[in-house]
Amino acid sequence: MKAGIVGLPNVGKSTLFNCLSNAKAQSANFPFCTIEPNIGVVNVPDSRLNKLEELVNPQRVLPATVDIVDIAGLVKGASKGEGLGNQFLGNIRETDAIIHVLRCFDNDNIVHVDGSINPIRDKETIDIELQLKDLESLEKKLDKVRKASRTGNKEAQKEQEVLEKVRIGLEAAISVRAIEISAKDREEFVTPLNLITDKPVLYVCNVDEESAVNGNAYVDAIKEAVKDEKAEVIVLAVGTEADITELETYEERQLFLEDLGLKEPGASVLIRSAYKLLNLQTYFTAGVKEVRAWTIHIGDTAPQAAGVIHSDFEKGFIRAEVIAYGDYVKYGSEAKVKEAGKMRVEGKEYIVKDGDVMHFRFNV
C-alpha cells in the first residue's frame, strides 16, 4: 500500500520524506527540487510489537510497513501539463492515499512559489488541479455511459445518474471524496474510476517549532476549511523533526521531544495516521524464530489474513488459533494462555481484530 506526499513546491515534502524513511531525498530552497518520485519503505511504530518481543524473545522482529512516495511539487496549470503536471498526476494516481503537506509557518529565508504564505490558497491550488484532472477522466467515461444509456440500458442509466452527480460536484470544486453518494453506488460506479480526489487525504500542517504542540492561526484555518471533507489534519514541525532524526541516540531524541512538550516524534503519529487512512490494521504471529506484524485491511477474514503470509495458506485454510493481544500480555506466554482457556479456534468466517495473535492451520 502506498501513500503519496503531495503539495506545492518547497513546502517541506522532501524534508518530511527524509524524516519518515532512511532514504535521503534531495531537498533545497528552490521549486521542483524533486523530479522523479522517491519511494521509502517505512516501519509502522507499534508498542505492542515491542511487548511481544519482550515476552517471546524471538530471533528476529519484523514490523508492519507502509510505502511512502515523495512526489514532485505541483503548480497552477498542472492539469494542463504546466511544471511537471502530467508526471505528477500520473504518480499520484498510483498511490492509495494522499498526504498533503501545507506550509503553515512564516520564514522570509524560505521562498514560496506564490510569494506569500497562505495555506488555504495553496490547498485550493492543488485541489483545483486534481479536480480538473478528474473531470477530464470522468468526461471520457461519461461519453461512453451516455451512449449506452440512450439505448435504454438500465444499468448504464443508473451509472450515468451517479457519474453526473460526481461531475456536478467536481465542477463546483468539491473533491470526489466529499461528494454525497451512497456507499453502494460509490463502490460500484465511482471507485473503479480511480479518481485522484476520491483517495483519502491526510493534511499535514508544517509549522514552526513554537507551534509544534498547539498549532497556530494557519492550522486553525485549515481545520475549518476541511471540516466537511472527511479528512484528518495533523500538526508537524517538519524542520524540527529533521533535526531530531539527526541526533545519534534515543535518549537525545527523547530529551529534545520533552523540551518541545511532545511525547513522541510527529513522524510516528503521521505514519500511524497514514496506516489508518489506508484502512489497514495489524495482526501478529509470535514464535521463537520470529515475532512479526502483518498488514491487512480492516474487515478481512481469517483466510484473507492467512493469504498475506502465503497464498497457499488462504487456499488450504482449515482454521485459525487466535489469542487476543490483551490476553497474551496478561498471561505472558502462549502456553499459559492455553492453560487459562483463552485461545480460540476460529473458522473461515472470522473477522480478524486489530492486534490478534494468530496461528494458522492449513492443508495444501
Side-chain angles (χ1 to χ4, degrees):
M1 302 296 286
K2 288 182 185 174
I5 302 177
V6 306
L8 290 175
N10 222 27
V11 295
K13 299 186 309 300
S14 294
T15 305
L16 175 60
F17 176 82
N18 290 337
C19 290
L20 297 175
S21 71
N22 293 324
K24 290 294 182 185
Q26 187 184 9
S27 59
N29 190 20
F30 57 87
F32 301 122
C33 183
T34 303
I35 297 176
E36 292 297 328
N38 298 293
I39 300 176
V41 179
V42 180
N43 293 341
V44 178
D46 195 327
S47 59
R48 297 173 300 182
L49 194 64
N50 301 334
K51 186 64 179 176
L52 288 172
E53 179 184 12
E54 183 186 308
L55 294 171
V56 179
N57 193 27
Q59 292 171 19
R60 66 173 183 169
V61 178
L62 293 172
T65 61
V66 172
D67 286 356
I68 302 290
V69 188
D70 177 27
I71 297 169
L74 177 144
V75 292
K76 199 175 291 182
S79 59
K80 304 299 180 189
E82 290 295 323
L84 298 166
N86 290 330
Q87 182 175 332
F88 171 96
L89 294 161
N91 292 334
I92 194 173
R93 199 180 293 283
E94 294 170 9
T95 65
D96 302 291
I98 296 169
I99 299 170
H100 187 161
V101 182
L102 294 162
R103 179 171 170 178
C104 295
F105 66 90
D106 297 303
N107 186 333
D108 293 338
N109 295 320
I110 300 176
V111 297
H112 188 289
V113 71
D114 286 331
S116 62
I117 310 305
N118 185 335
I120 298 294
R121 176 203 60 209
D122 295 353
K123 174 190 176 302
E124 289 172 351
T125 296
I126 286 196
D127 283 351
I128 288 167
E129 295 306 323
L130 300 185
Q131 289 157 4
L132 286 170
K133 201 65 181 177
D134 277 351
L135 260 175
E136 187 182 301
S137 303
L138 187 68
E139 285 294 356
K140 289 175 185 174
K141 177 67 176 177
L142 262 171
D143 283 346
K144 295 176 184 175
V145 173
R146 285 173 185 136
K147 286 174 187 172
S149 184
R150 284 195 290 270
T151 67
N153 183 315
K154 292 281 192 290
E155 179 74 9
Q157 288 171 352
K158 175 61 179 174
E159 185 173 9
Q160 182 181 348
E161 180 188 322
V162 174
L163 297 187
E164 291 287 5
K165 190 173 184 181
V166 176
R167 179 186 61 77
I168 291 166
L170 284 169
E171 287 179 347
I174 302 171
S175 292
V176 177
R177 74 181 76 86
I179 298 170
E180 288 297 327
I181 306 167
S182 73
K184 182 176 180 294
D185 286 347
R186 186 177 287 276
E187 183 180 351
E188 191 171 348
F189 302 120
V190 181
T191 302
L193 300 180
N194 194 27
L195 298 172
I196 298 171
T197 66
D198 195 29
K199 297 178 189 294
V201 64
L202 169 68
Y203 291 102
V204 177
C205 293
N206 182 11
V207 299
D208 53 26
E209 189 173 304
E210 291 71 29
S211 307
V213 177
N214 298 315
N216 55 31
Y218 292 134
V219 175
D220 294 340
I222 288 295
K223 287 180 177 177
E224 179 62 25
V226 306
K227 68 177 189 295
D228 298 324
E229 206 180 310
K230 299 170 187 170
E232 192 172 345
V233 178
I234 68 169
V235 177
L236 207 62
V238 174
T240 305
E241 292 282 333
D243 292 339
I244 292 172
T245 59
E246 294 297 323
L247 296 173
E248 291 185 7
T249 68
Y250 173 80
E251 289 74 19
E252 286 178 308
R253 291 193 288 272
Q254 285 303 115
L255 281 171
F256 199 141
L257 287 167
E258 286 171 18
D259 286 344
L260 292 173
L262 298 171
K263 293 179 181 177
E264 64 176 336
S268 296
V269 177
L270 188 151
I271 295 163
R272 281 200 301 272
S273 297
Y275 198 68
K276 180 182 170 188
L277 193 69
L278 291 162
N279 199 38
L280 302 177
Q281 64 179 6
T282 300
Y283 78 86
F284 302 100
T285 51
V288 291
K289 286 188 177 179
E290 178 183 276
V291 166
R292 182 164 182 168
W294 299 89
T295 299
I296 58 171
H297 288 95
I298 294 169
D300 276 357
T301 61
Q304 289 172 317
V308 173
I309 299 176
H310 197 287
S311 57
D312 286 347
F313 282 35
E314 183 172 4
K315 289 174 191 170
F317 179 89
I318 299 171
R319 65 181 183 273
E321 295 168 355
V322 184
I323 303 170
Y325 170 76
D327 286 336
Y328 205 112
V329 172
K330 179 179 177 181
Y331 294 100
S333 72
E334 184 177 311
K336 288 180 180 175
V337 169
K338 285 181 180 176
E339 283 175 23
K342 293 294 183 178
M343 177 183 279
R344 308 189 314 276
V345 175
E346 301 286 359
K348 292 182 178 180
E349 304 303 315
Y350 177 67
I351 304 297
V352 179
K353 295 179 178 62
D354 186 51
D356 278 349
V357 181
M358 307 185 76
H359 181 70
F360 300 104
R361 300 292 182 183
F362 67 98
N363 181 32
V364 178

